[in-house]
Short mmCIF file of all heavy atoms in Angstrom, two decimals:
data_model
loop_
_atom_site.label_atom_id
_atom_site.label_comp_id
_atom_site.label_asym_id
_atom_site.label_seq_id
_atom_site.Cartn_x
_atom_site.Cartn_y
_atom_site.Cartn_z
N SER U 1 100.34 -62.30 -48.03
CA SER U 1 99.69 -62.82 -49.24
C SER U 1 100.59 -63.83 -49.93
O SER U 1 101.82 -63.72 -49.85
CB SER U 1 99.31 -61.68 -50.17
OG SER U 1 100.45 -60.99 -50.61
N PRO U 2 100.03 -64.80 -50.60
CA PRO U 2 100.82 -65.85 -51.25
C PRO U 2 101.72 -65.28 -52.37
O PRO U 2 101.40 -64.30 -53.01
CB PRO U 2 99.75 -66.76 -51.85
CG PRO U 2 98.55 -66.51 -51.02
CD PRO U 2 98.61 -65.06 -50.65
N VAL U 3 102.84 -65.96 -52.56
CA VAL U 3 103.84 -65.58 -53.56
C VAL U 3 103.92 -66.69 -54.60
O VAL U 3 103.96 -67.87 -54.24
CB VAL U 3 105.21 -65.40 -52.88
CG1 VAL U 3 106.28 -65.11 -53.90
CG2 VAL U 3 105.16 -64.32 -51.82
N SER U 4 103.98 -66.32 -55.87
CA SER U 4 104.10 -67.31 -56.92
C SER U 4 105.56 -67.52 -57.32
O SER U 4 106.11 -68.60 -57.14
CB SER U 4 103.31 -66.91 -58.16
OG SER U 4 101.94 -66.88 -57.88
N ASN U 5 106.17 -66.48 -57.88
CA ASN U 5 107.53 -66.61 -58.38
C ASN U 5 108.51 -65.58 -57.82
O ASN U 5 109.67 -65.89 -57.64
CB ASN U 5 107.54 -66.51 -59.91
CG ASN U 5 106.80 -67.65 -60.55
OD1 ASN U 5 106.96 -68.80 -60.15
ND2 ASN U 5 105.96 -67.35 -61.53
N LEU U 6 108.03 -64.36 -57.58
CA LEU U 6 108.92 -63.30 -57.12
C LEU U 6 108.44 -62.72 -55.80
O LEU U 6 107.26 -62.41 -55.63
CB LEU U 6 108.99 -62.17 -58.17
CG LEU U 6 109.54 -62.58 -59.52
CD1 LEU U 6 109.46 -61.41 -60.49
CD2 LEU U 6 110.95 -63.08 -59.43
N LEU U 7 109.38 -62.58 -54.87
CA LEU U 7 109.11 -62.01 -53.56
C LEU U 7 109.86 -60.70 -53.48
O LEU U 7 111.07 -60.64 -53.71
CB LEU U 7 109.60 -62.97 -52.47
CG LEU U 7 109.52 -62.49 -51.02
CD1 LEU U 7 108.08 -62.29 -50.60
CD2 LEU U 7 110.19 -63.51 -50.12
N THR U 8 109.16 -59.61 -53.19
CA THR U 8 109.78 -58.29 -53.10
C THR U 8 109.82 -57.86 -51.64
O THR U 8 108.82 -57.93 -50.94
CB THR U 8 108.98 -57.25 -53.91
OG1 THR U 8 108.89 -57.72 -55.26
CG2 THR U 8 109.65 -55.91 -53.89
N ILE U 9 111.01 -57.42 -51.21
CA ILE U 9 111.16 -56.92 -49.84
C ILE U 9 111.75 -55.52 -49.90
O ILE U 9 112.47 -55.17 -50.83
CB ILE U 9 112.01 -57.85 -48.96
CG1 ILE U 9 113.41 -58.03 -49.54
CG2 ILE U 9 111.35 -59.18 -48.79
CD1 ILE U 9 114.33 -58.78 -48.62
N ARG U 10 111.45 -54.74 -48.87
CA ARG U 10 111.99 -53.39 -48.77
C ARG U 10 112.81 -53.30 -47.49
O ARG U 10 112.32 -53.57 -46.40
CB ARG U 10 110.85 -52.38 -48.74
CG ARG U 10 110.12 -52.33 -50.04
CD ARG U 10 109.21 -51.12 -50.11
NE ARG U 10 108.60 -51.07 -51.42
CZ ARG U 10 107.33 -51.33 -51.66
NH1 ARG U 10 106.53 -51.65 -50.67
NH2 ARG U 10 106.85 -51.27 -52.88
N PHE U 11 114.08 -52.94 -47.66
CA PHE U 11 115.00 -52.85 -46.54
C PHE U 11 116.18 -52.03 -47.00
O PHE U 11 116.48 -52.03 -48.18
CB PHE U 11 115.46 -54.27 -46.15
CG PHE U 11 115.87 -54.39 -44.72
CD1 PHE U 11 114.95 -54.71 -43.74
CD2 PHE U 11 117.18 -54.24 -44.35
CE1 PHE U 11 115.32 -54.84 -42.42
CE2 PHE U 11 117.58 -54.38 -43.05
CZ PHE U 11 116.65 -54.68 -42.07
N ASP U 12 116.84 -51.34 -46.09
CA ASP U 12 118.02 -50.54 -46.44
C ASP U 12 119.15 -51.47 -46.83
O ASP U 12 119.75 -52.13 -45.98
CB ASP U 12 118.42 -49.65 -45.26
CG ASP U 12 119.55 -48.70 -45.61
OD1 ASP U 12 120.13 -48.80 -46.69
OD2 ASP U 12 119.84 -47.83 -44.76
N LYS U 13 119.44 -51.55 -48.12
CA LYS U 13 120.44 -52.50 -48.64
C LYS U 13 121.83 -52.28 -48.05
O LYS U 13 122.60 -53.21 -47.91
CB LYS U 13 120.53 -52.38 -50.15
CG LYS U 13 119.31 -52.81 -50.88
CD LYS U 13 119.49 -52.63 -52.36
CE LYS U 13 118.21 -52.88 -53.11
NZ LYS U 13 118.37 -52.72 -54.55
N LYS U 14 122.15 -51.06 -47.70
CA LYS U 14 123.49 -50.73 -47.21
C LYS U 14 123.76 -51.34 -45.84
O LYS U 14 124.89 -51.51 -45.45
CB LYS U 14 123.67 -49.22 -47.14
CG LYS U 14 123.61 -48.56 -48.51
CD LYS U 14 123.69 -47.07 -48.37
CE LYS U 14 123.49 -46.41 -49.73
NZ LYS U 14 123.44 -44.95 -49.63
N LYS U 15 122.70 -51.65 -45.09
CA LYS U 15 122.88 -52.15 -43.73
C LYS U 15 122.62 -53.64 -43.59
O LYS U 15 122.67 -54.17 -42.50
CB LYS U 15 121.94 -51.37 -42.80
CG LYS U 15 122.27 -49.91 -42.74
CD LYS U 15 121.35 -49.16 -41.83
CE LYS U 15 121.70 -47.68 -41.83
NZ LYS U 15 120.82 -46.90 -40.99
N LEU U 16 122.38 -54.32 -44.68
CA LEU U 16 122.09 -55.75 -44.62
C LEU U 16 123.34 -56.59 -44.50
O LEU U 16 124.35 -56.32 -45.13
CB LEU U 16 121.35 -56.18 -45.87
CG LEU U 16 119.86 -55.92 -45.91
CD1 LEU U 16 119.30 -56.44 -47.22
CD2 LEU U 16 119.16 -56.56 -44.76
N PHE U 17 123.25 -57.65 -43.69
CA PHE U 17 124.32 -58.63 -43.59
C PHE U 17 123.92 -59.93 -44.28
O PHE U 17 124.74 -60.54 -44.95
CB PHE U 17 124.68 -58.92 -42.14
CG PHE U 17 125.46 -57.83 -41.49
CD1 PHE U 17 125.13 -57.38 -40.24
CD2 PHE U 17 126.53 -57.24 -42.14
CE1 PHE U 17 125.85 -56.38 -39.63
CE2 PHE U 17 127.26 -56.24 -41.54
CZ PHE U 17 126.92 -55.80 -40.27
N SER U 18 122.68 -60.34 -44.11
CA SER U 18 122.28 -61.60 -44.73
C SER U 18 120.77 -61.67 -44.91
O SER U 18 120.02 -61.04 -44.17
CB SER U 18 122.74 -62.79 -43.89
OG SER U 18 122.03 -62.86 -42.68
N VAL U 19 120.39 -62.43 -45.91
CA VAL U 19 118.98 -62.73 -46.16
C VAL U 19 118.91 -64.23 -46.38
O VAL U 19 119.59 -64.78 -47.24
CB VAL U 19 118.45 -61.96 -47.39
CG1 VAL U 19 117.02 -62.37 -47.69
CG2 VAL U 19 118.55 -60.46 -47.19
N LYS U 20 118.08 -64.89 -45.57
CA LYS U 20 117.93 -66.34 -45.66
C LYS U 20 116.46 -66.69 -45.76
O LYS U 20 115.63 -66.02 -45.15
CB LYS U 20 118.51 -67.04 -44.42
CG LYS U 20 119.98 -66.81 -44.24
CD LYS U 20 120.45 -67.42 -42.95
CE LYS U 20 121.91 -67.06 -42.71
NZ LYS U 20 122.33 -67.44 -41.36
N ILE U 21 116.16 -67.73 -46.51
CA ILE U 21 114.81 -68.25 -46.56
C ILE U 21 114.84 -69.65 -45.96
O ILE U 21 115.68 -70.48 -46.34
CB ILE U 21 114.26 -68.29 -48.00
CG1 ILE U 21 114.15 -66.85 -48.53
CG2 ILE U 21 112.91 -69.00 -48.04
CD1 ILE U 21 113.66 -66.74 -49.95
N LYS U 22 113.95 -69.88 -44.98
CA LYS U 22 113.89 -71.17 -44.30
C LYS U 22 112.54 -71.81 -44.53
O LYS U 22 111.52 -71.12 -44.65
CB LYS U 22 114.10 -70.98 -42.80
CG LYS U 22 115.48 -70.41 -42.47
CD LYS U 22 115.65 -70.23 -40.98
CE LYS U 22 117.02 -69.70 -40.65
NZ LYS U 22 117.22 -69.58 -39.20
N ASN U 23 112.52 -73.14 -44.56
CA ASN U 23 111.24 -73.84 -44.70
C ASN U 23 110.57 -73.95 -43.34
O ASN U 23 111.10 -73.46 -42.33
CB ASN U 23 111.44 -75.21 -45.36
CG ASN U 23 112.31 -76.15 -44.55
OD1 ASN U 23 112.53 -75.98 -43.36
ND2 ASN U 23 112.82 -77.17 -45.21
N SER U 24 109.42 -74.60 -43.29
CA SER U 24 108.66 -74.70 -42.04
C SER U 24 109.37 -75.52 -40.97
O SER U 24 109.00 -75.46 -39.79
CB SER U 24 107.27 -75.26 -42.31
OG SER U 24 107.37 -76.54 -42.90
N LYS U 25 110.40 -76.28 -41.35
CA LYS U 25 111.18 -77.06 -40.39
C LYS U 25 112.39 -76.28 -39.87
O LYS U 25 113.16 -76.80 -39.07
CB LYS U 25 111.65 -78.35 -41.03
CG LYS U 25 110.52 -79.28 -41.43
CD LYS U 25 111.04 -80.51 -42.10
CE LYS U 25 109.89 -81.40 -42.55
NZ LYS U 25 110.37 -82.60 -43.24
N GLY U 26 112.58 -75.06 -40.38
CA GLY U 26 113.71 -74.24 -39.95
C GLY U 26 114.96 -74.45 -40.75
O GLY U 26 116.02 -73.89 -40.42
N GLN U 27 114.89 -75.25 -41.78
CA GLN U 27 116.06 -75.54 -42.62
C GLN U 27 116.25 -74.41 -43.63
O GLN U 27 115.30 -73.97 -44.27
CB GLN U 27 115.88 -76.86 -43.36
CG GLN U 27 115.69 -78.03 -42.44
CD GLN U 27 115.17 -79.26 -43.18
OE1 GLN U 27 114.30 -79.16 -44.03
NE2 GLN U 27 115.68 -80.42 -42.82
N ILE U 28 117.49 -73.96 -43.81
CA ILE U 28 117.79 -72.90 -44.78
C ILE U 28 117.69 -73.50 -46.18
O ILE U 28 118.36 -74.49 -46.49
CB ILE U 28 119.18 -72.31 -44.56
CG1 ILE U 28 119.26 -71.64 -43.18
CG2 ILE U 28 119.53 -71.31 -45.66
CD1 ILE U 28 120.64 -71.21 -42.77
N VAL U 29 116.84 -72.92 -47.01
CA VAL U 29 116.65 -73.39 -48.38
C VAL U 29 117.22 -72.42 -49.40
O VAL U 29 117.41 -72.79 -50.56
CB VAL U 29 115.18 -73.70 -48.70
CG1 VAL U 29 114.67 -74.85 -47.85
CG2 VAL U 29 114.31 -72.47 -48.47
N LYS U 30 117.51 -71.20 -48.97
CA LYS U 30 118.10 -70.21 -49.88
C LYS U 30 118.80 -69.15 -49.07
O LYS U 30 118.28 -68.67 -48.08
CB LYS U 30 116.98 -69.58 -50.73
CG LYS U 30 117.47 -68.75 -51.89
CD LYS U 30 116.32 -68.26 -52.76
CE LYS U 30 115.88 -69.35 -53.68
NZ LYS U 30 115.86 -68.98 -55.07
N THR U 31 120.03 -68.82 -49.48
CA THR U 31 120.79 -67.72 -48.89
C THR U 31 121.11 -66.74 -50.00
O THR U 31 121.54 -67.16 -51.08
CB THR U 31 122.09 -68.24 -48.26
OG1 THR U 31 121.76 -69.21 -47.27
CG2 THR U 31 122.88 -67.13 -47.61
N LEU U 32 120.85 -65.49 -49.76
CA LEU U 32 121.02 -64.47 -50.81
C LEU U 32 122.25 -63.62 -50.56
O LEU U 32 122.34 -62.88 -49.59
CB LEU U 32 119.78 -63.60 -50.87
CG LEU U 32 118.51 -64.39 -51.12
CD1 LEU U 32 117.30 -63.60 -50.76
CD2 LEU U 32 118.47 -64.82 -52.56
N THR U 33 123.20 -63.75 -51.46
CA THR U 33 124.40 -62.94 -51.46
C THR U 33 124.81 -62.76 -52.91
O THR U 33 125.05 -63.76 -53.57
CB THR U 33 125.54 -63.62 -50.68
OG1 THR U 33 125.07 -64.00 -49.42
CG2 THR U 33 126.71 -62.71 -50.52
N PRO U 34 124.89 -61.60 -53.46
CA PRO U 34 124.57 -60.33 -52.82
C PRO U 34 123.07 -60.16 -52.70
O PRO U 34 122.30 -60.83 -53.39
CB PRO U 34 125.14 -59.28 -53.78
CG PRO U 34 125.11 -59.96 -55.11
CD PRO U 34 125.33 -61.43 -54.83
N PHE U 35 122.68 -59.25 -51.86
CA PHE U 35 121.27 -59.00 -51.59
C PHE U 35 120.58 -58.33 -52.78
O PHE U 35 121.16 -57.49 -53.44
CB PHE U 35 121.11 -58.12 -50.36
CG PHE U 35 119.71 -57.64 -50.16
CD1 PHE U 35 118.75 -58.53 -49.70
CD2 PHE U 35 119.34 -56.36 -50.45
CE1 PHE U 35 117.44 -58.11 -49.53
CE2 PHE U 35 118.03 -55.93 -50.28
CZ PHE U 35 117.09 -56.81 -49.81
N THR U 36 119.38 -58.73 -53.04
CA THR U 36 118.54 -58.10 -54.04
C THR U 36 117.14 -57.93 -53.46
O THR U 36 116.71 -58.74 -52.65
CB THR U 36 118.49 -58.92 -55.34
OG1 THR U 36 117.61 -58.29 -56.26
CG2 THR U 36 118.04 -60.34 -55.11
N SER U 37 116.43 -56.87 -53.84
CA SER U 37 115.12 -56.63 -53.27
C SER U 37 114.02 -57.46 -53.90
O SER U 37 112.92 -57.57 -53.37
CB SER U 37 114.76 -55.13 -53.34
OG SER U 37 114.75 -54.72 -54.68
N VAL U 38 114.30 -58.08 -55.04
CA VAL U 38 113.34 -58.98 -55.69
C VAL U 38 113.98 -60.37 -55.70
O VAL U 38 115.05 -60.57 -56.26
CB VAL U 38 113.00 -58.53 -57.12
CG1 VAL U 38 112.04 -59.52 -57.77
CG2 VAL U 38 112.40 -57.13 -57.11
N ILE U 39 113.32 -61.31 -55.05
CA ILE U 39 113.88 -62.64 -54.86
C ILE U 39 113.07 -63.65 -55.67
O ILE U 39 111.84 -63.72 -55.53
CB ILE U 39 113.86 -63.01 -53.36
CG1 ILE U 39 114.63 -61.98 -52.57
CG2 ILE U 39 114.40 -64.41 -53.15
CD1 ILE U 39 114.37 -62.03 -51.08
N ASP U 40 113.75 -64.42 -56.48
CA ASP U 40 113.10 -65.46 -57.28
C ASP U 40 112.90 -66.69 -56.39
O ASP U 40 113.85 -67.32 -55.94
CB ASP U 40 113.97 -65.80 -58.48
CG ASP U 40 113.34 -66.84 -59.39
OD1 ASP U 40 112.20 -67.29 -59.12
OD2 ASP U 40 113.98 -67.21 -60.39
N VAL U 41 111.64 -67.03 -56.14
CA VAL U 41 111.31 -68.19 -55.31
C VAL U 41 110.62 -69.27 -56.15
O VAL U 41 110.01 -70.19 -55.61
CB VAL U 41 110.46 -67.80 -54.08
CG1 VAL U 41 111.25 -66.95 -53.12
CG2 VAL U 41 109.16 -67.13 -54.48
N SER U 42 110.71 -69.18 -57.45
CA SER U 42 110.03 -70.13 -58.33
C SER U 42 110.55 -71.55 -58.16
O SER U 42 109.82 -72.51 -58.45
CB SER U 42 110.16 -69.69 -59.80
OG SER U 42 111.52 -69.67 -60.20
N ASP U 43 111.77 -71.71 -57.65
CA ASP U 43 112.34 -73.05 -57.46
C ASP U 43 111.90 -73.70 -56.16
O ASP U 43 112.20 -74.87 -55.91
CB ASP U 43 113.88 -72.98 -57.53
CG ASP U 43 114.48 -72.05 -56.50
OD1 ASP U 43 113.80 -71.05 -56.12
OD2 ASP U 43 115.61 -72.30 -56.05
N LEU U 44 111.19 -72.97 -55.30
CA LEU U 44 110.72 -73.54 -54.03
C LEU U 44 109.43 -74.30 -54.22
O LEU U 44 108.60 -73.93 -55.05
CB LEU U 44 110.51 -72.42 -53.01
CG LEU U 44 111.73 -71.59 -52.61
CD1 LEU U 44 111.34 -70.51 -51.62
CD2 LEU U 44 112.84 -72.45 -52.05
N SER U 45 109.24 -75.33 -53.43
CA SER U 45 108.00 -76.09 -53.44
C SER U 45 106.90 -75.27 -52.77
O SER U 45 107.17 -74.33 -52.02
CB SER U 45 108.17 -77.39 -52.66
OG SER U 45 109.17 -78.18 -53.25
N TYR U 46 105.67 -75.65 -53.00
CA TYR U 46 104.53 -74.99 -52.36
C TYR U 46 104.62 -75.17 -50.86
O TYR U 46 105.04 -76.21 -50.37
CB TYR U 46 103.21 -75.57 -52.88
CG TYR U 46 103.04 -75.46 -54.37
CD1 TYR U 46 103.01 -76.59 -55.16
CD2 TYR U 46 102.93 -74.21 -54.97
CE1 TYR U 46 102.86 -76.49 -56.54
CE2 TYR U 46 102.77 -74.11 -56.33
CZ TYR U 46 102.73 -75.23 -57.13
OH TYR U 46 102.59 -75.13 -58.48
N GLY U 47 104.23 -74.14 -50.12
CA GLY U 47 104.20 -74.26 -48.67
C GLY U 47 104.55 -72.99 -47.94
O GLY U 47 104.69 -71.92 -48.52
N LEU U 48 104.74 -73.12 -46.63
CA LEU U 48 105.04 -72.01 -45.72
C LEU U 48 106.55 -71.85 -45.60
O LEU U 48 107.28 -72.83 -45.38
CB LEU U 48 104.43 -72.28 -44.35
CG LEU U 48 104.72 -71.27 -43.24
CD1 LEU U 48 104.08 -69.92 -43.57
CD2 LEU U 48 104.22 -71.78 -41.91
N TYR U 49 107.02 -70.60 -45.69
CA TYR U 49 108.45 -70.28 -45.56
C TYR U 49 108.60 -69.05 -44.67
O TYR U 49 107.66 -68.30 -44.46
CB TYR U 49 109.06 -69.98 -46.94
CG TYR U 49 109.15 -71.19 -47.82
CD1 TYR U 49 108.09 -71.55 -48.64
CD2 TYR U 49 110.27 -72.01 -47.80
CE1 TYR U 49 108.15 -72.67 -49.43
CE2 TYR U 49 110.35 -73.14 -48.59
CZ TYR U 49 109.29 -73.46 -49.40
OH TYR U 49 109.36 -74.57 -50.18
N PHE U 50 109.83 -68.87 -44.19
CA PHE U 50 110.17 -67.71 -43.39
C PHE U 50 111.38 -67.03 -44.03
O PHE U 50 112.33 -67.70 -44.42
CB PHE U 50 110.52 -68.12 -41.96
CG PHE U 50 109.36 -68.74 -41.25
CD1 PHE U 50 109.15 -70.11 -41.31
CD2 PHE U 50 108.46 -67.96 -40.55
CE1 PHE U 50 108.07 -70.70 -40.66
CE2 PHE U 50 107.38 -68.54 -39.91
CZ PHE U 50 107.18 -69.90 -39.97
N ILE U 51 111.31 -65.71 -44.15
CA ILE U 51 112.45 -64.97 -44.65
C ILE U 51 113.07 -64.26 -43.47
O ILE U 51 112.39 -63.61 -42.68
CB ILE U 51 112.07 -63.99 -45.80
CG1 ILE U 51 113.32 -63.33 -46.33
CG2 ILE U 51 111.03 -62.98 -45.36
CD1 ILE U 51 113.14 -62.68 -47.69
N GLU U 52 114.37 -64.45 -43.32
CA GLU U 52 115.12 -63.87 -42.18
C GLU U 52 116.08 -62.83 -42.75
O GLU U 52 116.97 -63.15 -43.53
CB GLU U 52 115.91 -64.98 -41.47
CG GLU U 52 116.70 -64.51 -40.29
CD GLU U 52 117.43 -65.66 -39.63
OE1 GLU U 52 116.74 -66.58 -39.12
OE2 GLU U 52 118.67 -65.65 -39.63
N ILE U 53 115.86 -61.58 -42.37
CA ILE U 53 116.66 -60.46 -42.86
C ILE U 53 117.46 -59.92 -41.68
O ILE U 53 116.88 -59.46 -40.70
CB ILE U 53 115.76 -59.35 -43.43
CG1 ILE U 53 114.84 -59.93 -44.51
CG2 ILE U 53 116.58 -58.20 -43.97
CD1 ILE U 53 113.69 -59.03 -44.88
N SER U 54 118.78 -60.00 -41.79
CA SER U 54 119.64 -59.57 -40.68
C SER U 54 120.44 -58.34 -41.07
O SER U 54 120.99 -58.27 -42.17
CB SER U 54 120.61 -60.69 -40.30
OG SER U 54 119.92 -61.81 -39.84
N SER U 55 120.49 -57.39 -40.15
CA SER U 55 121.30 -56.20 -40.33
C SER U 55 122.24 -56.08 -39.14
O SER U 55 122.28 -56.95 -38.27
CB SER U 55 120.40 -54.95 -40.41
OG SER U 55 119.82 -54.68 -39.15
N GLU U 56 122.94 -54.98 -39.09
CA GLU U 56 123.88 -54.76 -38.01
C GLU U 56 123.19 -54.70 -36.64
O GLU U 56 123.71 -55.16 -35.65
CB GLU U 56 124.59 -53.42 -38.26
CG GLU U 56 125.65 -53.06 -37.25
CD GLU U 56 126.33 -51.77 -37.62
OE1 GLU U 56 126.72 -51.61 -38.79
OE2 GLU U 56 126.47 -50.92 -36.72
N ARG U 57 121.95 -54.21 -36.63
CA ARG U 57 121.26 -53.98 -35.36
C ARG U 57 120.11 -54.93 -35.05
O ARG U 57 119.67 -55.00 -33.92
CB ARG U 57 120.73 -52.56 -35.33
CG ARG U 57 121.83 -51.56 -35.34
CD ARG U 57 121.30 -50.19 -35.18
NE ARG U 57 122.41 -49.24 -35.18
CZ ARG U 57 122.27 -47.96 -35.16
NH1 ARG U 57 121.06 -47.43 -35.12
NH2 ARG U 57 123.31 -47.17 -35.14
N GLU U 58 119.59 -55.60 -36.07
CA GLU U 58 118.40 -56.42 -35.80
C GLU U 58 118.27 -57.56 -36.80
O GLU U 58 118.92 -57.57 -37.85
CB GLU U 58 117.14 -55.54 -35.87
CG GLU U 58 116.88 -54.98 -37.25
CD GLU U 58 115.64 -54.10 -37.28
OE1 GLU U 58 114.65 -54.40 -36.60
OE2 GLU U 58 115.67 -53.10 -38.01
N THR U 59 117.43 -58.51 -36.42
CA THR U 59 117.04 -59.58 -37.32
C THR U 59 115.52 -59.58 -37.39
O THR U 59 114.85 -59.62 -36.36
CB THR U 59 117.55 -60.95 -36.81
OG1 THR U 59 118.97 -60.92 -36.79
CG2 THR U 59 117.08 -62.07 -37.72
N LEU U 60 115.02 -59.52 -38.62
CA LEU U 60 113.58 -59.49 -38.85
C LEU U 60 113.19 -60.79 -39.53
O LEU U 60 113.84 -61.22 -40.49
CB LEU U 60 113.25 -58.30 -39.76
CG LEU U 60 111.82 -58.12 -40.19
CD1 LEU U 60 110.94 -57.76 -39.01
CD2 LEU U 60 111.72 -57.05 -41.25
N ILE U 61 112.15 -61.43 -39.02
CA ILE U 61 111.66 -62.68 -39.59
C ILE U 61 110.21 -62.49 -40.00
O ILE U 61 109.38 -62.10 -39.17
CB ILE U 61 111.81 -63.85 -38.61
CG1 ILE U 61 113.27 -64.05 -38.25
CG2 ILE U 61 111.21 -65.13 -39.23
CD1 ILE U 61 113.50 -65.05 -37.14
N LYS U 62 109.90 -62.78 -41.25
CA LYS U 62 108.55 -62.68 -41.77
C LYS U 62 108.20 -63.99 -42.45
O LYS U 62 109.07 -64.66 -43.01
CB LYS U 62 108.41 -61.53 -42.79
CG LYS U 62 108.64 -60.18 -42.22
CD LYS U 62 107.45 -59.77 -41.41
CE LYS U 62 107.56 -58.33 -40.94
NZ LYS U 62 106.37 -57.87 -40.28
N ARG U 63 106.94 -64.34 -42.43
CA ARG U 63 106.53 -65.59 -43.11
C ARG U 63 105.86 -65.24 -44.42
O ARG U 63 105.33 -64.15 -44.61
CB ARG U 63 105.61 -66.40 -42.22
CG ARG U 63 104.26 -65.81 -42.03
CD ARG U 63 103.43 -66.68 -41.15
NE ARG U 63 102.08 -66.10 -41.15
CZ ARG U 63 100.99 -66.77 -40.93
NH1 ARG U 63 101.07 -68.06 -40.66
NH2 ARG U 63 99.83 -66.19 -40.96
N PHE U 64 105.93 -66.22 -45.33
CA PHE U 64 105.20 -66.09 -46.59
C PHE U 64 104.81 -67.47 -47.07
O PHE U 64 105.40 -68.48 -46.65
CB PHE U 64 106.01 -65.33 -47.65
CG PHE U 64 107.22 -66.06 -48.19
CD1 PHE U 64 107.13 -66.81 -49.34
CD2 PHE U 64 108.44 -65.95 -47.54
CE1 PHE U 64 108.25 -67.45 -49.84
CE2 PHE U 64 109.55 -66.60 -48.05
CZ PHE U 64 109.46 -67.36 -49.20
N ILE U 65 103.81 -67.51 -47.92
CA ILE U 65 103.31 -68.78 -48.47
C ILE U 65 103.67 -68.81 -49.94
O ILE U 65 103.35 -67.88 -50.68
CB ILE U 65 101.80 -68.92 -48.27
CG1 ILE U 65 101.48 -68.98 -46.77
CG2 ILE U 65 101.28 -70.16 -49.00
CD1 ILE U 65 100.02 -68.92 -46.44
N LYS U 66 104.33 -69.86 -50.36
CA LYS U 66 104.66 -70.08 -51.77
C LYS U 66 103.50 -70.85 -52.36
O LYS U 66 103.14 -71.92 -51.89
CB LYS U 66 105.96 -70.84 -51.90
CG LYS U 66 106.29 -71.40 -53.28
CD LYS U 66 106.53 -70.31 -54.28
CE LYS U 66 107.13 -70.82 -55.55
NZ LYS U 66 106.28 -71.56 -56.44
N LYS U 67 102.87 -70.27 -53.41
CA LYS U 67 101.75 -70.97 -54.04
C LYS U 67 102.12 -71.50 -55.40
O LYS U 67 103.13 -71.16 -55.97
CB LYS U 67 100.52 -70.08 -54.14
CG LYS U 67 100.67 -68.90 -55.05
CD LYS U 67 99.35 -68.18 -55.18
CE LYS U 67 99.50 -67.06 -56.18
NZ LYS U 67 98.27 -66.38 -56.46
#
């Protein structure tokens, strides 16, 4: 579902290494350190984005639409 200003993710914070948001061209537009489960995306332009969540064992990529 589209996101306006805040993106909420659920993940075990203790096992996270990095959280990155990439635009539709694959360019990193936001890197989150330290990790937070509520991410302010109000500064991003409208469009399709991918959130990449990396842990010790896996990397999960999900898409979202900024409206």
